[in-house]
Amino acid sequence: MKNLGDVFKKLISHCKEYGFIYPSSEVYDGLSAVYDYGPYGVELKNNIKTYWWKAMVQMHENIVGIDSAIFMHPKIWKASGHVDAFNDPLIDNRDSKKRYRADVLIEEYLGKIDDKIDKEIEKAAKRFGSAFDEGVFRSTNERVLKYAEERGRIAQRYVKAMEDNDLAELKQIIVDCEIVDPEGGSRNWTDVRQFNLMFATHFGALAGATEEDNRVYLRPETAQGIFVNFLNVQRTTRQKLPFGIAQIGKAFRNEIVARQFIFRMREFEQMEMQFFVPPGSEMEWYNYWREERLKWHKAIFNSSQLRFHVHEKLAHYANAAVDIEFEFPFGFKEIEGIHSRTNFDLGNHQEFSGKKMQYFDPDLGESYVPFVVETSVGADRTFLAVMTSALQEEEVPDAEGGTALRTVLKLHPALAPVKVAVLPLVAKDALTDKARQIFSELKMSVQCQYDEKDSIGRRYRRQDAIGTPYCVTVDFDTLTDDTVTIRNRDTLQQERVPISAVEAIITKATGINQLLR
Ligand code: ATP
């Protein structure tokens, strides 16, 4: 059994060593929870974004894209509730000096109770075999009932405390549940305080204006840029409800706890779609998008790595919310949120701006503020999930008839940063000239690399480590019959094909459309 901490460390060092992700400002010892994408990282991230954009915009006649500015009028964040309510309750441990989110500590505690219940069920299912009835077991087993009662009681207190913004009660729950510092084991907690997650800065220099007048925020979500453009987009594209607006862009949050590599960053990228629907139809669309978005993830991940998590506590704008979670090396965690945001945002913008945010429904002959279902997935978290599921070590046959260990990134070919590497078998002029010719042709249609340095075996390993699905090798036969071999990264099979067929084979196997079928 692998140590998951080691798996995660290996992933982080692989990302750095092979040019996927570097710590930001590393020569100055880094900047906490900020990262830079390297040459392969940017290609992989772009492919993830292309997959999302194509799946959401290109595949739906009723979804269009925008790219709104990061800076927005400060009143937007008042109207959206972020100035008053985009807070996390933070708590410090006096002994370890570590800072935590009080809500996360409590949710993890609840998660542990769930795990205990699951274990009891698992044990009983094994014991009773086919005669096992989970429903009956849950409602009669004493231990399960005790756990469920405790969970229900704490969850109720927790949800109420969050709704009432009762920080003293959050602290009391932590004390009552005897929750310890996950790092040091201490129970020496400070009081819980609210902490606003928005970064503020100052805009221009207006004579006579106060700091407060000039304050603008770095957007903490891309969604508001969509809401305030709702009518512009609807009018210019003549869309009828239901329709969606999609956007990919940077968001900024001054996260309290940011210790999990690119899982939780202070500057990150979101891929969001707001789907505008007539009031009353939002739950139908919420259920629709839940399933659609799960399908999107299933095209790149195994089903067993994914699960839904229904929210215990709803955000200030939502009437239903579910996360799609991925199994990272540190456990199942949110990768995407699907929220039914009601008419909260448009309604508030209407009120705060004094401008109508209504849609005239030609079928009903009346105007109303549409309801919204949002799908919001992190480009960086998807990147981390893709790397998590792709990075593998495996034994492969070596040249001497034995076995060797190789590190390979089994990325879906459509996401791989480099689609094909063109390699002369040895660095002899006749072969390198021919290989360069093939490379010059191929690079016009796919992301392609040429490499002649080191032995062919080492070059294959380098391509394996960055996830290149195909290597085209030029050997001495190529010079006489215009054929090359195509090596498949996963099967290690080498197929001999005419040079004239290479481009079609590679573009077909590595196109994003492979994921859209
Ligand atoms: P969490 O509970 O983990 O803080 P959230 O519920 O606040 O996340 P949302 O506001 O629903 O997140 O944002 C939608 C998506 O944006 C998340 O599912 C995640 O993929 C991404 N995201 C949010 N915060 C961060 C962050 N700090 N770093 C990287 N990605 C993030």
Side-chain angles (χ1 to χ4, degrees), residues 10-29:
K10 193 154 205 148
L11 186 90
I12 297 170
S13 70
H14 191 89
C15 281
K16 186 168 173 214
E17 190 181 338
Y18 286 93
F20 284 88
I21 295 171
Y22 312 121
S24 159
S25 324
E26 199 186 3
V27 291
Y28 291 97
D29 297 330

Side-chain angles (χ1 to χ4, degrees), residues 185-202:
S186 145
R187 274 191 246 152
N188 192 2
W189 296 110
T190 62
D191 286 342
V192 177
R193 283 172 293 147
Q194 279 301 18
F195 180 78
N196 193 286
L197 299 181
M198 281 198 295
F199 283 101
T201 184
H202 301 285

Side-chain angles (χ1 to χ4, degrees), residues 120-132 137 141 143:
E120 292 294 333
I121 290 171
E122 219 175 276
K123 265 196 310 195
K126 257 195 209 143
R127 196 162 3 113
F128 295 115
S130 58
F132 182 63
F137 185 76
N141 180 273
R143 222 172 297 161

Side-chain angles (χ1 to χ4, degrees), residues 317-344:
Y317 49 72
N319 69 354
V322 65
D323 294 338
I324 295 176
E325 295 188 333
F326 176 84
E327 190 173 19
F328 290 101
F330 41 86
F332 271 103
K333 293 276 185 255
E334 171 177 348
I335 181 170
E336 168 152 7
I338 295 132
H339 307 121
S340 170
R341 288 183 81 128
T342 67
N343 57 359
F344 176 89

Side-chain angles (χ1 to χ4, degrees), residues 77 340 344 485 494:
W77 304 111
S340 170
F344 176 89
T485 60
Q494 308 222 9

Side-chain angles (χ1 to χ4, degrees), residues 438-479:
I438 297 171
F439 170 67
S440 302
E441 279 299 311
L442 273 181
K443 74 180 179 189
M444 287 193 276
S445 34
V446 289
Q447 188 66 33
C448 182
Q449 228 176 42
Y450 173 83
D451 190 7
E452 59 177 45
K453 200 169 167 284
D454 296 326
S455 73
I456 189 75
R458 288 182 80 156
R459 281 179 276 157
Y460 286 150
R461 293 290 169 269
R462 270 206 296 269
Q463 296 300 331
D464 287 346
I466 61 166
T468 307
Y470 300 102
C471 289
V472 164
T473 310
V474 173
D475 56 24
F476 291 100
D477 289 344
T478 311
L479 303 179

